[in-house]
Each structure stands twice: as C-alpha cells, then as structure tokens.
Amino acid sequence: MVKKYDEKKFLILSFALFFLVMMMGFINFVALTQESYEIILGTLLYGLAFMGLFVISLSSNLAIGTFKKEIQRLKQLQDFDFLTGCPNWITFKKECERILDTDNSLDYAMVIFDIDKFKAINDLYGHQTGNEILTAIAKILEKYLNEEELFARMATDNFCILMNYEGYGEFSQRLENLIRKINSYSQKFIVSISMGIYLIGETELDISALSDRANMAKRSIKDNSQISYAFYEESMRVALILENEIENRMEKALASGEFEVYLQPKYLFSDEQIIGAEALVRWNDPERGMLPPNEFIPLFEKNGFVKKIDTYMFEAVCKLLAKWQKEMDQLTNMIISVNFSRLHLENMLLPEELLAITNRYQIDPKMIEIELTEGTIFNNDVQMVEIMNHLKDFGFHISIDDFGRAYSSLNTLKNLPADILKLDKAFFSESTDNARGEKIITSMLNMAKDLDLITVAEGVETRDQVEFLKEKGCDIAQGFFYAKPMNVFEFEDLVKEKLKSA
C-alpha cells in the first residue's frame, strides 16, 4: 500500500513553525532588553520551535523519498513482468510502435509462442518448477535476441517477440535454434513450445492486430506434436472468421431445426439388400446452403457443442424409427447407427440418458447402433468398457468405427463388448491394392469372425472391392458404389424400390 504524502499540509506546518520561531525570537529580544526572568523561557521556547522545524523538515524529506521509491516500484510493476523481470505487454507495445514507426531499414516479424501442456507441468511438478521454466525462457530470450529486437511475457506462459527478418531460410534457422535452446532447458523433461509468426512488412495494423495474426498461426499447429512453428496465412484469418460465424449461429440453428438427418444405406454383401443405414448430420444453412460435417463438426468437437448435436441426432433417429413403426411396415426392421463423440465418455450416465429417450418414443434399443471411433475407445478403455457394457445391457448394439486407422491393440479389442467392426475407409481402400494389404484385411476379417463380430466395410467404391470383400467374408457394405448419403425421403423411396424389385 502506498503511503499518502500531503505536501500542502507539510508546507503549512513548516510556515507555522517558522512564524512561531520568529515570534519567539522577537519575544527573546524584548526580554533581553528588559533583563527579566522571561529570558530563560523565551530562549527555551525558541530552541523547541527550532527543533520542531528541523524535525518537520526532516520528516518531509523522508516522506518525499519514500513516496518517490513507491512511484518507482509501481512504475517497475507497470512496465515489467513481476516474475521474470522482462518487459510486459504494455511496455512491449510501446517499444514496438516506436521501432516500427522510426526504423524502416529492417524488416520485422511478430512471434508469439506458449508452452505446450504448461498446466500439466504445474500440476505434476509444482508451480515453482513452472516459474523456473518461465524465468529460464526469459533469460534465454535476453541472451539470444539482437540489440534491436524485443521480447515480453504477455501472460502466464505466453511470450511475444519482435525479431528481425532477413529471409525465410535464415529466419527459420534462427527460430529452430531458439526452439532447441528452450526444448533443452530442463534435464528432467523437454519443454515443448508452439510458435506462430507474422511477417510484418508494410502494414497499417496496430501491434495488437499483428500479435493476433501471429497467434492465429500458433493456434493452427497447437494440437500437432510434429510441428513447432507456423507462419501466418490469410486463410487462417478467413477460417477464424468462419468459425466465429458458426459459433454465433450454432445454438440458434439447433433450436430452429437446421441440422438434418441424412442416411447412408448399408447393404448385405450376400444378397445386396438394404438392412439399415448410418445417420449423418447435415447443416441446412439458410444463407450458405447444405453444409457437410467436415465444415462444422471439428469445431463442435473443440468447443463441446458436438455433445448437443449427437444427442439431437439420436433423438431425431428415435422419432424417425417411431414414424416408421406407425406408417411403414417395410422399414420397421432397419437398424440405424448414430455416431457419438469422445466427449460423451466423460458422462457415465450416458446409457441411462439414451434409454430414457428411446422409452419416450417407445423404441426398442436393439434398433439403434451406437458408433464409437476406434481412437476414442482405445484411449479410454477402462471407462469405455463400463459404458459399453451398460449400453449393451439396455439392448443397444455397439460398433467400433474407423477400425484400422489408429494403432489398435487386438488384445484390447478382444475384451471390448462390441457387436460390429467397421473397417476404416482409408485403410481399406489402400490395402486392397497390393497382396500384403489383402492379407492384412483377410486376417482382420477372420479375427472378427473368431470374436463373433459383424464386419462393415466403409467407403466401398468399386466392383473389385465388392468382389474381394464378399469373397473374404465381409458382412456389410457401405459406400458410394451402392449409395451416397441421402435425406430421409430419398432413403424411404430407395428401400421401397428395392423391395419391389426383390
């Protein structure tokens, strides 16, 4: 807390004491001329007043000194980071503006980086270790940067740098050297960072806008452990604007029913009859038209909105099955599969919630297949097995989607309570082009039979693939060779036509 210093008050007191001293001097002078007893009293008062003036003057100077120190301390806190001692964001902005406004002889780049999984470091090793890393990074930057370059700690584990840029090759080498120095700081663990760069050039953007663009580049690689830095591209800004538009509209779109169910039929290899379909979400945006999942599902995975979409799709499928039970006998045996995100694995009450929805629409859970991706299952096997067992107890079918994409543990697969195994499209389409790939698929299909799993081939696109999979004993086909995803009305018409021609 800063001590309050009232200069006016001290001046008034000093003047009052000075006046008192003058009065005492005058009294003393008069007393001397009269040679009375008052001489002693006057001299005493004169001395006391003089001492009081001296004390007040000394106190005033001390107070002013203390006040100046407080001002310097506050200025230090305002301009520099309290932990590392390096400049803070406010100082960095001022210095950047000064350099960019006055120095046109050099090209500069704005660099933003943060520490990967910094929260985990604090949790595992303690905040003291985290603080030591931040301080060490500040010292590395101080030694590594040139005299005309700047750096600052923006917040938490975020640092920003204004660096000279003389060419892509030379600059990239400098960045890589800096990253290596930071990576090798600790003997206990590697300190990994994600870095974004914006090449400034001739621009009218302010410092905040420059750092925002560098931050966009950093965000583009944040989940990629193979890449440590990225340069800003205008497409990143366009993508961010689109993301903001989607996030601003997603709740309203869900409430107004803009998300629609599309169905991709599943065919038996044996007689090529339709036995069900996979429910796929489409966004029918009034302004941009029909949007495919890859344009919004990845964002919904990041912001958590996918949980609402999955539940919405599940309920929409239940409504559809209830409609078919009442109106279309030929569709009552169709099993519809619904995808569920990995985020649902945090909810141990998921089985009960899904059962409540099926009960609401009087749907038998055995008419619905819950699709969980391979990576989701094998990254959360203990909790996932418990959820899967619970779903199975209620009668739902369980399928493992995208099998073959991740590095699967066949031993774990043996213990999973799944009913259906879906071969990943990419894995399947590449493996049938050579003898070794065909042997792998054959082994996978044989393994699935030994585990009493129904097999589904996704992405079937050619007659050769159909013949091969049929020969090797795959049960169900799904792909463009047979049918693309379609709206509900098209699917109903397709099934009716199929039944007529059977």
Side-chain angles (χ1 to χ4, degrees):
M1 182 176 179
V2 180
K3 296 179 181 178
K4 188 174 180 182
Y5 167 66
D6 192 336
E7 186 177 7
K8 184 177 180 181
K9 179 180 177 182
F10 275 104
L11 287 174
I12 292 173
L13 287 174
S14 298
F15 178 78
L17 284 171
F18 178 75
F19 180 76
L20 180 61
V21 169
M22 295 297 294
M23 287 298 296
M24 291 301 100
F26 177 74
I27 292 171
N28 188 50
F29 175 76
V30 172
L32 286 172
T33 59
Q34 296 178 357
E35 296 183 352
S36 66
Y37 174 75
E38 283 80 6
I39 293 175
I40 298 174
L41 179 62
T43 303
L44 179 63
L45 290 174
Y46 182 82
L48 289 174
F50 182 80
M51 287 299 296
L53 181 61
F54 174 77
V55 170
I56 291 295
S57 177
L58 180 62
S59 299
S60 177
N61 287 330
L62 290 174
I64 292 173
T66 302
F67 188 64
K68 287 182 178 180
K69 289 180 180 179
E70 289 289 345
I71 292 176
Q72 291 176 350
R73 186 179 69 84
L74 289 176
K75 191 174 188 308
Q76 179 78 10
L77 290 175
Q78 180 183 349
D79 296 341
F80 296 90
D81 176 53
F82 72 95
L83 176 64
T84 63
C86 70
N88 60 19
W89 171 242
I90 296 174
T91 303
F92 180 79
K93 284 178 65 176
K94 292 178 182 178
E95 288 300 304
C96 282
E97 290 170 355
R98 180 186 62 78
I99 290 175
L100 295 178
D101 288 342
T102 59
D103 188 357
N104 298 319
S105 62
L106 297 174
D107 292 325
Y108 287 92
M110 182 68 70
V111 180
I112 301 285
F113 73 86
D114 64 13
I115 301 170
D116 297 338
K117 300 179 180 178
F118 185 66
K119 183 179 183 302
I121 292 175
N122 280 332
D123 291 342
L124 291 173
Y125 301 98
H127 287 275
Q128 180 62 34
T129 298
N131 291 342
E132 289 174 0
I133 292 174
L134 296 174
T135 303
I137 289 176
K139 291 180 179 178
I140 290 171
L141 292 174
E142 186 175 8
K143 293 179 181 178
Y144 189 77
L145 298 181
N146 298 327
E147 183 177 349
E148 67 276 12
E149 296 175 326
L150 306 172
F151 79 95
R153 179 186 175 214
M154 299 174 70
T156 318
D157 61 320
N158 290 269
F159 288 83
C160 51
I161 315 173
L162 183 70
M163 294 181 68
N164 297 146
Y165 173 80
E166 297 181 4
Y168 181 82
E170 181 270 343
F171 186 67
S172 296
Q173 188 62 52
R174 283 195 68 196
L175 292 177
E176 290 169 7
N177 290 340
L178 176 59
I179 291 170
R180 276 195 293 270
K181 286 181 180 293
I182 295 174
N183 289 164
S184 59
Y185 148 74
S186 173
Q187 299 295 324
K188 296 179 181 178
F189 46 80
I190 296 176
V191 180
S192 299
I193 64 173
S194 296
M195 180 181 287
I197 306 102
Y198 179 78
L199 303 179
I200 296 174
E202 296 183 2
T203 180
E204 297 181 357
L205 297 174
D206 60 23
I207 303 303
S208 295
L210 297 177
S211 65
D212 286 343
R213 280 161 169 70
N215 199 47
M216 289 179 203
K218 182 191 74 175
R219 286 178 54 189
S220 71
I221 59 165
K222 192 58 183 172
D223 296 324
N224 190 338
S225 61
Q226 304 300 315
I227 303 175
S228 297
Y229 66 94
F231 287 84
Y232 170 84
E233 298 176 359
E234 187 60 24
S235 59
M236 295 175 183
R237 181 171 171 272
V238 173
L240 183 61
I241 292 173
L242 180 59
E243 284 187 3
N244 288 334
E245 290 177 356
I246 289 175
E247 289 188 317
N248 290 336
R249 284 206 13 82
M250 61 189 186
E251 291 284 359
K252 183 179 179 181
L254 183 62
S256 59
E258 294 178 18
F259 294 101
E260 298 180 4
V261 174
Y262 266 53
L263 299 171
Q264 185 169 30
K266 295 179 181 179
Y267 290 75
L268 281 173
F269 273 114
S270 57
D271 58 11
E272 297 195 339
Q273 291 300 308
I274 301 174
I275 62 162
E278 178 180 358
L280 301 166
V281 64
R282 296 290 186 270
W283 187 350
N284 192 358
D285 188 293
E287 297 181 0
R288 292 178 292 164
M290 194 66 70
L291 303 178
N294 64 307
E295 291 192 16
F296 54 89
I297 288 296
L299 175 60
F300 291 173
E301 286 274 4
K302 286 195 295 184
N303 63 25
F305 190 69
V306 71
K307 294 172 69 174
K308 290 187 178 182
I309 291 295
D310 290 347
T311 303
Y312 173 86
M313 289 291 290
F314 183 85
E315 186 163 0
V317 166
C318 288
K319 289 180 184 178
L320 181 61
L321 291 171
K323 173 193 170 187
W324 288 349
Q325 284 182 354
K326 294 178 181 178
E327 302 175 5
M328 301 178 182
D329 290 340
Q330 63 269 49
L331 292 169
T332 55
N333 292 324
M334 294 290 165
I335 297 176
I336 307 299
S337 61
V338 184
N339 293 280
F340 277 83
S341 162
R342 59 180 175 81
L343 298 181
H344 289 283
L345 301 181
E346 301 169 2
N347 181 16
M348 294 299 295
L349 296 178
L350 176 67
E352 285 81 4
E353 293 174 1
L354 298 186
L355 182 65
I357 295 174
T358 57
N359 289 340
R360 189 184 312 152
Y361 295 96
Q362 298 181 338
I363 299 299
D364 190 336
K366 71 179 183 182
M367 303 308 298
I368 298 178
E369 178 183 318
I370 307 297
E371 287 199 12
L372 302 165
T373 61
E374 175 198 25
T376 294
I377 293 171
F378 287 101
N379 287 335
N380 304 274
D381 56 293
V382 176
Q383 186 168 319
M384 192 70 247
V385 168
E386 186 175 348
I387 292 176
M388 292 171 72
N389 277 320
H390 208 170
L391 289 167
K392 290 258 301 178
D393 291 341
F394 289 150
F396 294 103
H397 299 291
I398 307 293
S399 70
I400 301 174
D401 195 14
D402 296 336
F403 188 80
R405 178 175 295 183
Y407 295 98
S408 313
S409 167
L410 299 182
N411 184 56
T412 304
L413 177 63
K414 177 189 66 177
N415 298 320
L416 288 174
D419 305 289
I420 299 123
L421 191 67
K422 298 187 73 173
L423 303 181
D424 177 66
K425 173 184 176 181
F427 175 83
F428 162 75
S429 60
E430 293 170 4
S431 298
T432 54
D433 293 335
N434 58 75
R436 190 173 183 179
E438 290 182 1
K439 289 180 180 178
I440 293 173
I441 291 178
T442 301
S443 298
M444 290 173 61
L445 291 172
N446 290 335
M447 175 196 66
K449 286 180 182 178
D450 291 339
L451 297 173
D452 295 323
L453 294 171
I454 296 171
T455 52
V456 179
E458 291 186 290
V460 178
E461 298 178 350
T462 68
R463 171 56 66 179
D464 288 342
Q465 291 173 349
V466 170
E467 295 300 331
F468 170 76
L469 291 166
K470 186 175 181 180
E471 176 190 347
K472 298 302 180 182
C474 189
D475 300 306
I476 299 171
Q478 179 183 341
F480 279 17
F481 179 81
Y482 289 100
K484 69 182 191 315
M486 58 191 71
N487 64 41
V488 171
F489 301 110
E490 292 173 330
F491 179 80
E492 292 171 349
D493 291 340
L494 177 65
V495 173
K496 292 175 184 177
E497 288 297 322
K498 265 290 190 180
L499 291 174
K500 287 180 182 178
S501 61

